């Protein structure tokens, strides 16, 4: 009979909350005191050498393939792993060197399309009507997800202190909510750039349908190829895709794209402690080529790019709540997703959404908005932050 001692040692050290475990031979073990937050059922033996070498990848694939079953709240379970200082499974305990990954324009396009071109109909099933796939901004606990996504877009535009008629570029524009809002509510000439064919097609049709050809533009192009100058640059959930080796060039390109004294608002996932880097499972199955920089890396690159920081705002709890709502929405369409894409695909995305929520809940990662200026910091910005919140009120961010 297989000795389960090492499995029990790993499990005993990995959680700071009570859990139940059922092994492949029917043996049941409880860890911790009190009501268990979840039950883990191990249907098959998982090689210890695989756990030791790539823990997140091994357990992620085992869950996708049904070798492990989790009864209960996955988010809570993963949060306890991150919060357990002695956990072998904690990312800080088995972190690997960042793997080399090509970020050529061709490879970057393939990586982006592998995730975002699953199909607009897939994302429509569980995103809100704005089709915004990034952290929302909950000005009130009672905000719906749709309200919070409108809040986020307007909060970003308000920080720029943009004037009617100015030009704005959104790098990685998604399905276009920000550029359409910039044009229609702020009277800006707005341009979006994406590598996703489906997003490009979606925005192109919407521009034509709304008759905004003179105020909204969309390009299926790599941000590194852009040449024009803009008064303002935004980029939401984008720098996580550029790769560690390209981060400095990414911020330098933002500098090149801005007019003198122009402003940029960059919003993205950022590690504050040990949360930066690459998760092997997410890198293989969800975001190939992805890399989450820590806040010190970004600040250093911003400085090297000769951009000046005007404001930094962490939004960790906002992304946790966004992901929790996405998870609920995703569960509500589980039968449709399984019917279309299969059980394994559904389990993969469910694990992804809940484990990301756990990462934000535990503080393992954060999401931060960086407001920057090309030129002396804040030359064309008001003296205090008050203008941001006054504009938020004016534009319905309560």
């Amino acid at each position: 009979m297989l000795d389960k001692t090492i499995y029990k040692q790993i499990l005993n050290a990995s959680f700071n909350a009570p859990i139940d475990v059922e092994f492949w031979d029917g043996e049941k073990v409880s860890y911790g005191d009190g009501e268990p937050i979840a039950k883990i059922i191990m249907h098959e033996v998982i090689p210890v050498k695989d756990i030791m070498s790539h823990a997140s990848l091994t357990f992620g694939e085992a869950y996708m393939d049904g070798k492990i079953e989790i009864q209960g709240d996955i988010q809570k379970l993963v949060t306890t792993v991150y919060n357990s200082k002695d956990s072998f499974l904690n990312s800080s305990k088995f972190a690997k060197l960042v793997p080399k990954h090509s970020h050529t324009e061709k490879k970057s396009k393939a990586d982006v399309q592998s995730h975002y071109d699953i199909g607009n109909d897939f994302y429509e099933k569980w995103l809100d009507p704005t089709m915004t796939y990034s952290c929302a901004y909950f000005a009130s606990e009672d905000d719906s997800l749709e309200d919070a996504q409108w809040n986020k877009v307007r909060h970003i535009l308000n920080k720029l202190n943009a004037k009617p008629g100015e030009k704005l570029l959104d790098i990685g524009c998604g399905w276009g909510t920000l550029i359409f809002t910039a044009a229609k509510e702020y009277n800006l000439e707005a341009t979006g750039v994406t590598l996703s064919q489906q997003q490009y097609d979606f925005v192109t049709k919407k521009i034509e349908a709304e008759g905004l050809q003179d105020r909204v533009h969309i390009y299926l192009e790599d941000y590194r190829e852009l040449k024009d100058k803009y008064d303002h640059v935004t980029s939401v959930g984008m720098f996580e895709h550029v790769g560690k080796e390209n981060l400095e060039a990414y911020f330098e390109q933002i500098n090149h794209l801005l007019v003198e004294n122009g402003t940029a608002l960059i919003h993205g996932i950022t590690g504050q402690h040990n949360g930066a880097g690459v998760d092997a499972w997410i890198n293989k199955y969800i975001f190939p080529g992805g890399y989450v920089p820590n806040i010190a890396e970004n600040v250093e690159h911003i400085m090297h790019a000769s951009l000046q920081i005007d404001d930094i705002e962490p939004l960790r709890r906002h992304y946790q709540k966004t992901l929790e709502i996405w998870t609920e929405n995703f569960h509500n369409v589980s039968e449709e997703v399984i019917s279309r894409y299969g059980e394994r695909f559904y389990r993969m995305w469910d694990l992804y959404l809940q484990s990301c929520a756990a990462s934000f809940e535990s503080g393992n990662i954060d999401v931060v908005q960086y407001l920057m200026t090309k030129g002396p910091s804040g030359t064309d910005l008001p003296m205090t932050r008050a203008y941001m919140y006054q504009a938020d009120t004016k534009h319905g961010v309560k």
Side-chain angles (χ1 to χ4, degrees):
M1 181 178 291
L2 181 66
D3 185 359
K4 298 192 289 290
T5 302
I6 190 167
Y7 294 95
K8 292 179 179 179
Q9 290 175 343
I10 291 172
L11 290 164
N12 188 51
S14 293
F15 303 96
N16 70 344
I19 65 164
D20 287 342
V21 177
E22 182 176 331
F23 290 95
W24 50 86
D25 59 1
E27 181 183 359
K28 299 178 181 179
V29 181
S30 295
Y31 297 94
D33 299 322
E35 185 71 21
I37 64 168
K39 180 178 181 180
I40 301 173
I41 303 173
M42 301 178 68
H43 293 297
E44 297 182 24
V45 176
I46 301 173
V48 172
K49 64 179 180 62
D50 293 344
I51 299 173
M52 298 294 288
S53 59
H54 293 290
S56 70
L57 181 61
T58 298
F59 281 105
E61 289 182 331
Y63 179 76
M64 288 165 58
D65 294 334
K67 296 178 182 179
I68 290 177
E69 198 73 37
I70 299 174
Q71 296 178 354
D73 192 320
I74 294 174
Q75 179 182 336
K76 286 183 180 178
L77 187 67
V78 178
T79 299
T80 68
V81 173
Y82 286 129
N83 288 337
S84 178
K85 295 180 180 179
D86 297 324
S87 175
F88 170 79
L89 302 179
N90 193 307
S91 60
S92 64
K93 302 295 184 183
F94 61 90
K96 301 292 180 183
L97 293 175
V98 178
K100 290 186 177 180
H101 186 94
S102 171
H103 287 91
T104 64
E105 292 180 21
K106 181 178 180 180
K107 189 64 175 69
S108 293
K109 184 174 183 177
D111 288 344
V112 167
Q113 292 187 352
S114 73
H115 185 88
Y116 294 98
D117 285 356
I118 294 171
N120 291 341
D121 57 341
F122 168 68
Y123 290 100
E124 286 171 348
K125 293 180 189 300
W126 52 275
L127 294 180
D128 70 285
T130 70
M131 288 291 285
T132 306
Y133 183 34
S134 55
C135 174
Y137 183 76
F138 293 89
S140 165
E141 288 287 339
D142 298 326
D143 284 342
S144 68
L145 178 59
E146 182 178 0
D147 288 339
Q149 292 293 12
W150 285 119
N151 288 345
K152 185 269 298 297
V153 167
R154 290 163 179 153
H155 190 52
I156 287 172
L157 293 168
N158 293 338
K159 285 185 175 185
L160 296 172
N161 198 41
K163 305 298 189 297
E166 293 181 331
K167 294 172 63 178
L168 175 141
L169 170 70
D170 189 27
I171 300 174
C173 66
W175 287 275
T177 301
L178 190 149
I179 56 175
F180 283 106
T181 305
K184 293 192 289 187
E185 294 187 18
Y186 294 78
N187 198 23
L188 302 178
E189 183 181 342
T191 298
V193 60
T194 181
L195 290 175
S196 164
Q197 184 68 54
Q198 295 227 3
Q199 290 179 344
Y200 172 80
D201 293 342
F202 181 94
V203 174
T204 299
K205 290 178 181 177
K206 188 172 180 180
I207 290 172
E208 295 174 356
E210 298 193 13
L212 292 170
Q213 293 90 336
D214 60 334
R215 295 165 61 193
V216 179
H217 316 285
I218 177 76
Y219 298 109
L220 185 66
E221 194 169 352
D222 193 287
Y223 72 97
R224 289 168 284 195
E225 293 301 305
L226 300 175
K227 305 296 183 185
D228 291 343
K229 298 286 186 179
Y230 298 87
D231 300 289
H232 311 284
V233 173
T234 56
S235 188
V236 182
M238 167 62 189
F239 64 61
E240 303 95 313
H241 296 291
V242 306
K244 181 179 177 67
E245 75 282 7
N246 286 332
L247 276 168
E248 186 165 334
Y250 166 80
F251 284 105
E252 287 176 347
Q253 176 67 342
I254 290 170
N255 186 327
H256 295 326
L257 293 167
L258 282 171
V259 301
E260 199 64 30
N261 295 325
T263 55
L265 191 291
I266 310 304
H267 165 127
I269 300 173
T270 306
Q272 288 215 34
H273 300 288
N274 296 317
V278 173
D279 178 274
W281 180 77
I282 287 180
N283 193 263
K284 180 175 181 179
Y285 288 100
I286 305 296
F287 286 117
Y291 173 75
V292 174
N294 64 47
I295 196 166
E297 283 181 272
N298 278 343
V299 170
E300 183 176 6
H301 293 314
I302 290 168
M303 291 168 60
H304 286 172
S306 298
L307 293 164
Q308 298 206 42
I309 297 174
D310 292 279
D311 191 77
I312 294 179
E313 182 177 13
L315 298 173
R316 179 184 61 82
R317 293 172 60 198
H318 295 262
Y319 216 160
Q320 177 190 338
K321 185 166 183 175
T322 302
L323 281 153
E324 289 169 351
I325 297 174
W326 283 346
T327 298
E328 182 180 0
N329 292 347
F330 192 67
H331 288 173
N332 289 338
V333 295
S334 59
E335 293 183 3
E336 297 175 50
V337 174
I338 292 170
S339 175
R340 173 78 181 273
Y341 301 97
E343 178 76 29
R344 191 173 190 264
F345 178 92
Y346 175 80
R347 291 168 72 91
M348 177 180 75
W349 270 82
D350 188 27
L351 179 61
Y352 159 62
L353 292 171
Q354 293 200 60
S355 62
C356 285
S359 287
F360 286 106
E361 181 177 4
S362 65
N364 186 45
I365 53 177
D366 206 330
V367 62
V368 175
Q369 290 187 351
Y370 305 83
L371 178 64
M372 300 169 292
T373 307
K374 179 175 181 175
S377 185
T379 297
D380 291 336
L381 293 175
M383 293 286 279
T384 72
R385 283 178 169 175
Y387 80 93
M388 301 180 189
Y389 303 110
Q390 289 167 359
D392 278 353
T393 301
K394 176 181 176 182
H395 289 274
V397 182
K398 300 177 182 178

